Amino acid sequence: MVELIAESLQQTGYFETEVETYEWNAYLDRVINPAYQENGYLPAIGLSGTFNPHSFCNVIHNSANVGACCNLTGISDPELDELLASARYGIDVVEDPQLRAETYDEIWRTLAEERYTSFTHFGVETAVTSAAVHGFGVWPFQEGLFGYALFSPQDGQVAWIDRENPAGESDLADLVTGGTLTGAVSTNPSSFDPPHSSDTTSTMLQNLLFEGLVVNDAEGNVHPWLAERYELLDVRDVGRAAYEEYMRTVGTTAEGAVDADEQVIVRHPEDDPAADDEVRVLLPEDAREAAADGTYGMRFRYELHEGVAFHDGSELTAEDVVASYEYYENSATAPQTFDSVLAAVAVDDYVVDVYAQVPDAEAERELPGIFVLSADQIAAVEKGGIDPREGVTPIGTGPYEFGEFVDEEYLEVSRFDDYWVGSRGIAEAFAWFDGLDAFPDGPAIDAVEVEVVPDDATRTGALRNGEVDLTYDVASGTLEDFDDADDFLVHAVEAGGYDYLQYPVNVEPWDDPRLREAVNHLVPRQRIVDNVLNGWAEPAWTPIPQIARGSGTADYEALEDAVRPLNEYDVERAEELLDEMAAEYGESS
């Protein structure tokens, strides 16, 4: 894809391009470095979002995410920041979904006009399994590849191994328990510590071990999980300036960041660390005090299941939930956690109140959006230290427990015998479950072995040779071969994400919007889909995939009609802009 774009640029005669490639984790470390935004390079990367339309615009365009995932090039536009906030936060959009959808339409149009980013295509999430794998289903987000397929009662989804009968029309009446599923992943997990890793492979494997307060089904509906039930207790019409009396004054750095060791929960909206020597901020202890005094935007109450066991035998309590939220402070995923969370407070041993800073239209999904970890383990490690490479065995409440991990080679997990859902039965565990009586009380598969195989050809060869049962990230041309073969099944669903290029807007001449517009018109989106991906994708004329359009646009067809012309391949328009710039910049530039 990148080579095709580079070739398109060079054909104008205005560009000399060079493509650099890196091993994935090295690339991730490279681009999520605050210094990266100053080098003038164009990073190409993929974003996996959520059912929340905010996840497809905020993380890569909000100035609060510079140097985090995934504002890689220092995009900082105060008007856009304000627009992004207004689409999600405030009593108006909480109470009026239509207003929220219309505000997102304004965001998509703004992004199309400013062209800070070129979105290339929406992916199709695919996996290939051998005929021994029955009942397999693909989650729209790659990080759910294993966890979702193995046990997801919210969608009646469970996979099993039957090596005697080939998969095809099998149903729950044919379910076989036991066996080991062997899969191959393309990259080594960077960490088993959930808040301190943001790469897809790490989250994919963590999903086998850890669980959250709630779970989403494939349409984004929220169901209680570790929480037996939850409810919204109240909503208060407050803005972030309401926390002023609880704030402290701290300094700023030469780079324009807040100089505070603790997690900044809220920064005063009138203060700017890039311009001010001091700013007012709300720190965690102050946030809890504000919540106790009744200053907050929303309050949700989560009542936990009693008797849920961690893998070390200890019982899940409210203390673990509160400690988990605190452990997410100053982590890789903190910007996405504390864009809404104000505080988590234990009410009693099995009840937790989670507060939002301001009214949040996505609070039901986003506030409980963390993995719940063991408070004892958190207390025993340095932040980021829950990882076997640090001599620490990850402890969760999930259906599988950690077995063995050899860095760069493989992971083994096995079914947790005291898994809480299995102990009480699916119907008792989840009042909302309305599936078939034959649905099992936990995963059908006993163990999962995951091999790290970076090379695409080697990974697909291992599947063909029967060395693994499952793989993903298969080249589109090879997908066709597997789709035509009798011994394999290709599973596909439109993905909740896209690939994109991000322009270094703070480096000349990329600060000139004409250059960004010209290059955007030289991105051959349809050719990428047809010639590179063999049709296993959709051109991204807008930045919002199918899965988030429900609350993310008032009228998608009207939006595409308005935005698509700004993103279509148009060499003539690109060359007009480049000629105009060349006349101003001079031949030497």
Side-chain angles (χ1 to χ4, degrees), residues 21-52:
T21 60
Y22 298 83
E23 186 273 331
W24 168 248
N25 285 334
Y27 183 64
L28 195 63
D29 289 343
R30 176 181 173 83
V31 298
I32 304 183
N33 183 322
Y36 184 82
Q37 60 185 275
E38 305 298 332
N39 61 27
Y41 295 160
L42 276 67
I45 200 166
L47 175 78
S48 179
T50 67
F51 295 98
N52 175 8

Side-chain angles (χ1 to χ4, degrees), residues 248-308:
R248 309 182 190 200
T249 300
V250 299
T252 59
T253 68
E255 293 76 26
V258 176
D259 190 9
D261 293 332
E262 294 182 74
Q263 174 69 47
V264 173
I265 305 296
V266 179
R267 190 183 77 228
H268 199 290
E270 295 177 2
D271 295 351
D272 181 2
D276 303 331
D277 293 334
E278 294 183 330
V279 293
R280 291 163 291 179
V281 297
L282 186 74
L283 300 179
E285 181 181 346
D286 309 316
R288 289 188 286 272
E289 181 183 352
D293 288 347
T295 303
Y296 55 82
M298 305 174 87
R299 178 167 57 131
F300 279 80
R301 174 158 292 176
Y302 298 88
E303 299 180 26
L304 305 178
H305 287 282
E306 297 186 26
V308 174

Side-chain angles (χ1 to χ4, degrees), residues 109-368:
R109 287 181 170 87
T110 299
L111 294 178
E113 291 165 359
E114 295 292 345
R115 298 172 179 87
Y116 297 129
T117 303
S118 280
F119 311 97
T120 62
H121 63 275
F122 302 124
V124 175
E125 205 61 64
T126 61
V128 184
T129 62
S130 72
V133 183
H134 295 245
F136 194 86
V138 184
W139 184 239
F141 310 103
Q142 196 175 87
E143 54 265 33
L145 178 69
F146 290 103
Y148 177 76
L150 293 178
F151 185 64
S152 296
Q154 67 272 25
D155 283 321
Q157 169 61 47
V158 63
W160 67 93
I161 298 288
D162 184 350
R163 302 193 186 280
E164 301 300 321
N165 301 294
E169 300 300 322
S170 52
D171 57 29
L172 285 178
D174 305 308
L175 185 144
V176 175
T177 59
T180 297
L181 173 72
T182 303
V185 297
S186 59
T187 56
N188 195 50
S190 66
S191 175
F192 286 84
D193 196 318
H196 296 276
S197 55
S198 57
D199 63 293
T200 299
T201 304
S202 293
T203 307
M204 184 190 301
L205 301 182
Q206 291 161 11
N207 265 296
L208 295 166
L209 307 172
F210 302 103
E211 298 177 308
L213 294 172
V214 301
V215 68
N216 294 320
D217 63 22
E219 295 181 352
N221 300 307
V222 182
H223 302 276
W225 194 263
L226 289 177
E228 185 172 10
R229 63 184 63 86
Y230 70 91
E231 63 176 322
L232 173 62
L233 295 182
D234 61 339
V235 181
R236 302 191 176 191
D237 189 8
V238 303
R240 290 183 169 86
Y243 298 99
E244 181 174 347
E245 66 177 286
Y246 301 96
M247 289 181 170
R248 309 182 190 200
T249 300
V250 299
T252 59
T253 68
E255 293 76 26
V258 176
D259 190 9
D261 293 332
E262 294 182 74
Q263 174 69 47
V264 173
I265 305 296
V266 179
R267 190 183 77 228
H268 199 290
E270 295 177 2
D271 295 351
D272 181 2
D276 303 331
D277 293 334
E278 294 183 330
V279 293
R280 291 163 291 179
V281 297
L282 186 74
L283 300 179
E285 181 181 346
D286 309 316
R288 289 188 286 272
E289 181 183 352
D293 288 347
T295 303
Y296 55 82
M298 305 174 87
R299 178 167 57 131
F300 279 80
R301 174 158 292 176
Y302 298 88
E303 299 180 26
L304 305 178
H305 287 282
E306 297 186 26
V308 174
F310 281 100
H311 298 152
D312 65 353
S314 61
E315 186 188 8
L316 169 73
T317 67
E319 178 188 0
D320 299 293
V321 177
V322 172
S324 297
Y325 276 97
E326 293 174 354
Y327 191 62
Y328 271 70
E329 295 171 6
N330 284 335
S331 69
T333 56
Q336 287 79 58
T337 303
F338 296 100
D339 59 357
S340 184
V341 171
L342 175 68
V345 178
V347 178
D348 62 31
D349 286 348
Y350 300 102
V351 178
V352 178
D353 284 352
V354 182
Y355 297 85
Q357 299 162 16
V358 295
D360 180 355
E362 277 293 329
E364 186 178 10
R365 276 197 291 252
E366 295 295 318
L367 281 186

